[in-house]
Amino acid sequence: MIDSPSNTAKQHTCASPFSTVVSDNTSGRELFSESQISVFNKTLQNYGEVNFRDAKWVLKPIQSRRPITIDFTRVNFDECDINFIKAYIVTVIVQSPNMNLSTAKRELHNCITFFDFLYSTHVYISNVVSALMHKYVIHIGTLDCPPSTKNSICATAKKALRFAADYNLLRANLIAFDFQFDEGKKLPKRAPEYGVIKKLDRIFFDLATYVPLDMRLMYLLLRLILNRFSEVQNMHLECMVIPEEGIFSVSIPVQKATPLSLPIYISHSRLIDGNVENILFDTLLKQQQYARTNQANAMEYAKDYLFLSSKNPKELLTIDGFNKYLNDMCQKYNIRNHDGTIAHVTSHGFRHIGVTERFNSNLIMSHEIQKEAAHSRIEETLGYGYQSIYDETNRLEELTNYTLSSEFTHKEKCITPRKPLSSKRYDALLQQPYVRIIPAYGACCDMSCSPKYEQCITCDYFVPDNTFLPYFEECILILEEKLNRFYSNPHASKEAIQFNEERLALYKCFVASCAGNANRNEMIG
C-alpha cells in the first residue's frame, strides 16, 4: 500500500534533487477543481503543445530559443500535491515576465524540497501554520549549501503559501515566518581588466587573425553595444538595413527573451567607412550569407536567426560555447591579468567593461548609459560601473593624487596631511581597504556602508571625480531655471519646489567638493 503523509516515516533532506516520498490521494482532498485545472492548462498551452497533466513539459517561448523541458516524472507525491506544484510553476512563469524560463526549474526543485519537509512532518499543505514554517527555516539552516540557496528555498515556500492562500487552500488565515540567512557582505561585480580586453580586441578586430565567423561577430557586437548575450543571440537574420548611403543600422532586442513577451528592437546606426564599424559591417554580411546558406538544415527553433553556429550550422551559437572560446583564446595567446594569472572572461564581462568605459569617457552620462543598457533603474546601471581592482587603483590615483594615511579607518576622520604617491602607488592603493570608486561620482573612503551614489556627495568620506564637474554645473543651471519658474507660479506644487531645491543643494555640494578637492591637491603638490 502506498503511504500517506500521516504514516510516512522517512525524512528527506532538501539537498536531494527529487523527492522519493509517495502518498495516496486521500479522498476529499482535491485542491483544484477540473475547471481550475482547465484554466491552468489553457494558460500553459500558450507556451507550446503541452498539457497540464503531462509528466514532462516542453515549453517553447515565442522568441527563438532552445525549448526548455520541465520534468515531473520523478516527482513522486500524490496527484493533489503534484497538481499544486504544477499550478504554482505555471503562475510563476506567467507572473514573472522578465524571468528566464529556466528559473522555473529552480522553483520546481525548491517546491520539492518544501513538500519533502511537509511529508516528513506528516502535514498537508492545507494544514500548514506559522509554527511549522519556523521549524522549516531551522531545518533549511542545517543544510550544507550557501546562504543564498537557503534564502531561495525559503522564498519559494513563502510564495507557494501565498499562492495557496490566493486559492483559499489554507485553513490558517495568515502564514507568517521570517528568514534571512546571512550571505555576508556582497562585493560589487567588477569588469575584467582593461588590459586583458585590449589584448582580446587586437585579436578579434584583426581580420588577418583567424577567428570563426560567429565568434568574431558576437565579440564585436558585445564590445560595441551594451547588450546581453541572449539578446544578441536572438538577432533576426534580416537584422541589418542601409537607410542611406554610408550608414548601416543593426536591430537588436533590448529585453531578455521571455514567454509571451516580444522584445523591443532598437536600431544602432554606424558609419560603414569607420575603421571599427567597417569590420563589423563586413562580418555581419558574411554571417548573414552563412546563415542564409544553412537555413534549410537549421533546427526549427534556429530558423530565420542570424547566429547559426560555425561549429554546427543546425544550431545557434551558445553562451557556453562562446565563453569557452574566449578562455581558450586567453590560453592560446597567453593573455594574463596583472598578477600573472591567465585571464578568465565571460560574455557578461563585456557589458561591465562597456559601462565602465562609458562612465570614464566623460561624454556619456548615467541616464544615457541606463537607456542603452535597458536597465529599469539607474542604480542597476551604476552597479555595473565597477572596474577591476587593478583598473580602479589607477583611477583612484587620478582622483586623489595622494594615498590615505595608514592610520585611517572608517571610524576616524581623515585629518592628517596626505603624502604624495610613491613609486609603489599601485600596490599601496590596492592594499588600502577603505577606498573604492562610486561610479559616475567619485571615490568613497568608508567601506562600512553600501554606495548610495548621489547621497554619497554629502558624506565626509566622499572624494569627488572632477571630470564630472561640467555635468553637475549644467544640472545646476537647469534646476535654477526650473525653480525660478516655480517661484513665479503661485499654483506651483510645494512638493516639486522642495524636491528641486534639495537636488540643487546636492549638486552645489558636489561642485563645492570639487573645488575643495582641487585646492587640497594644490597644497599637496
Side-chain angles (χ1 to χ4, degrees):
M1 180 176 176
I2 299 176
D3 293 331
S4 69
S6 61
N7 53 32
T8 298
K10 188 175 181 180
Q11 181 172 348
H12 299 268
T13 66
C14 299
S16 62
F18 293 97
S19 171
T20 56
V21 179
V22 181
S23 71
D24 67 348
N25 187 6
T26 305
S27 60
R29 203 185 151 251
E30 183 178 0
L31 297 178
F32 296 108
S33 66
E34 285 299 320
S35 61
Q36 288 175 316
I37 290 178
S38 176
V39 172
F40 290 130
N41 188 58
K42 186 176 181 180
T43 302
L44 190 62
Q45 288 175 354
N46 289 312
Y47 301 88
E49 297 179 2
V50 58
N51 189 284
F52 181 86
R53 296 191 184 279
D54 290 346
K56 187 178 291 187
W57 294 351
V58 180
L59 305 173
K60 299 178 181 179
I62 290 178
Q63 288 308 301
S64 173
R65 299 189 64 180
R66 193 183 301 275
I68 297 175
T69 301
I70 300 180
D71 191 352
F72 298 96
T73 56
R74 294 169 61 188
V75 183
N76 296 318
F77 299 122
D78 71 37
E79 185 179 1
C80 286
D81 293 328
I82 291 176
N83 285 345
F84 177 88
I85 293 173
K86 286 181 175 181
Y88 170 72
I89 296 298
V90 172
T91 305
V92 165
I93 294 171
V94 172
Q95 293 184 350
S96 305
N98 293 324
M99 181 185 67
N100 189 294
L101 277 179
S102 62
T103 308
K105 293 184 177 181
R106 184 181 69 239
E107 292 289 322
L108 173 60
H109 177 277
N110 292 348
C111 270
I112 292 170
T113 299
F114 181 38
F115 275 84
D116 270 338
F117 175 79
L118 295 183
Y119 275 52
S120 71
T121 54
H122 321 308
V123 175
Y124 289 120
I125 190 168
S126 56
N127 295 327
V128 171
V129 294
S130 297
L132 181 68
M133 295 311 300
H134 293 312
K135 292 181 180 179
Y136 182 62
V137 173
I138 294 171
H139 171 63
I140 297 303
T142 65
L143 298 182
D144 183 19
C145 58
S148 58
T149 302
K150 297 177 182 179
N151 285 326
S152 172
I153 292 171
C154 290
T156 295
K158 198 163 191 172
K159 288 184 288 186
L161 288 172
R162 190 180 302 118
F163 169 72
D166 290 342
Y167 281 86
N168 298 316
L169 301 179
L170 299 180
R171 294 181 182 178
N173 292 329
L174 179 64
I175 306 297
F177 66 100
D178 296 320
F179 63 91
Q180 186 59 53
F181 298 96
D182 185 15
E183 300 181 25
K185 189 174 182 63
K186 287 187 176 181
L187 297 175
K189 293 182 179 180
R190 294 185 176 273
E193 290 188 11
Y194 190 64
V196 168
I197 298 299
K198 293 297 288 183
K199 292 175 182 177
L200 286 172
D201 283 349
R202 284 196 288 270
I203 295 170
F204 282 87
F205 281 90
D206 181 9
L207 297 179
T209 303
Y210 172 73
V211 174
L213 192 60
D214 56 334
M215 299 293 183
R216 188 189 299 278
L217 180 57
M218 178 62 71
Y219 185 95
L220 298 181
L221 289 168
L222 293 178
R223 276 295 284 131
L224 297 174
I225 303 171
L226 298 181
N227 280 88
R228 304 171 181 89
F229 179 94
S230 61
E231 295 166 346
V232 177
Q233 181 195 44
N234 281 319
M235 288 174 64
H236 195 271
L237 179 58
E238 305 301 335
C239 61
M240 184 172 66
V241 296
I242 303 178
E244 55 184 278
E245 186 177 354
I247 293 178
F248 70 100
S249 294
V250 183
S251 297
I252 304 178
V254 295
Q255 292 179 343
K256 294 179 181 178
T258 58
L260 302 182
S261 175
L262 287 170
I264 299 171
Y265 284 82
I266 287 187
S267 293
H268 303 269
S269 297
R270 296 289 189 272
L271 294 173
I272 293 177
D273 58 357
N275 290 334
V276 171
E277 290 82 355
N278 183 260
I279 296 173
L280 175 62
F281 180 69
D282 181 65
T283 309
L284 261 169
L285 285 178
K286 291 179 180 178
Q287 180 66 29
Q288 278 186 320
Q289 183 180 0
Y290 173 81
R292 289 192 184 105
T293 302
N294 290 281
Q295 282 298 297
N297 297 322
M299 300 289 289
E300 190 62 33
Y301 86 95
K303 288 185 182 297
D304 298 324
Y305 283 81
L306 178 67
F307 271 95
L308 290 186
S309 169
S310 58
K311 188 175 182 179
N312 182 0
K314 294 182 178 181
E315 305 275 355
L316 293 180
L317 173 64
T318 65
I319 189 170
D320 290 339
F322 180 69
N323 287 341
K324 182 180 183 302
Y325 185 80
L326 286 176
N327 292 293
D328 287 347
M329 296 296 275
C330 289
Q331 288 278 356
K332 179 180 178 179
Y333 288 93
N334 196 30
I335 300 175
R336 297 178 179 271
N337 295 311
H338 79 280
D339 60 3
T341 59
I342 292 291
H344 178 79
V345 183
T346 66
S347 63
H348 206 65
F350 295 112
R351 195 162 159 85
H352 284 270
I353 197 73
V355 170
T356 59
E357 285 177 330
R358 284 158 175 76
F359 276 140
N360 293 337
S361 70
N362 198 29
L363 299 173
I364 309 173
M365 299 314 299
S366 305
H367 65 280
E368 295 172 324
I369 303 172
Q370 176 194 0
K371 183 177 179 180
E372 185 181 358
H375 286 146
S376 58
R377 298 180 300 113
I378 187 61
E379 290 79 11
E380 189 175 359
T381 307
L382 292 165
Y384 273 72
Y386 289 95
Q387 300 167 285
S388 69
I389 292 292
Y390 182 69
D391 293 326
E392 184 170 287
T393 298
N394 288 271
R395 187 65 172 163
L396 281 169
E397 180 197 359
E398 298 174 9
L399 293 183
T400 61
N401 287 324
Y402 51 80
T403 55
L404 298 175
S405 169
S406 59
E407 292 80 23
F408 177 67
T409 70
H410 66 273
K411 296 181 180 179
E412 301 171 351
K413 300 300 180 188
C414 185
I415 57 176
T416 57
R418 274 74 166 186
K419 303 174 184 178
L421 284 167
S422 68
S423 60
K424 296 182 179 180
R425 59 188 181 278
Y426 297 136
D427 291 338
L429 283 170
L430 279 172
Q431 295 170 9
Q432 174 55 252
Y434 302 114
V435 179
R436 62 182 165 183
I437 294 290
I438 305 298
Y441 295 101
C444 174
C445 306
D446 183 5
M447 290 294 286
S448 65
C449 69
S450 300
K452 298 178 177 63
Y453 304 107
E454 284 193 343
Q455 296 178 38
C456 292
I457 293 172
T458 59
C459 178
D460 292 335
Y461 297 95
F462 175 73
V463 179
D465 183 346
N466 292 49
T467 59
F468 292 104
L469 180 59
Y471 169 73
F472 283 96
E473 289 175 334
E474 182 70 19
C475 287
I476 288 173
L477 294 175
I478 293 172
L479 286 172
E480 287 177 337
E481 181 181 348
K482 182 185 292 186
L483 281 169
N484 287 333
R485 292 199 303 270
F486 283 153
Y487 294 148
S488 62
N489 182 0
H491 304 292
S493 166
K494 293 181 180 179
E495 291 78 9
I497 291 175
Q498 181 181 352
F499 174 80
N500 283 279
E501 285 178 339
E502 291 173 353
R503 304 284 288 186
L504 179 62
L506 189 67
Y507 293 165
K508 284 184 175 180
C509 182
F510 182 92
V511 172
S513 297
C514 288
N517 192 43
N519 293 334
R520 182 171 51 205
N521 288 339
E522 287 178 7
M523 289 189 294
I524 295 169

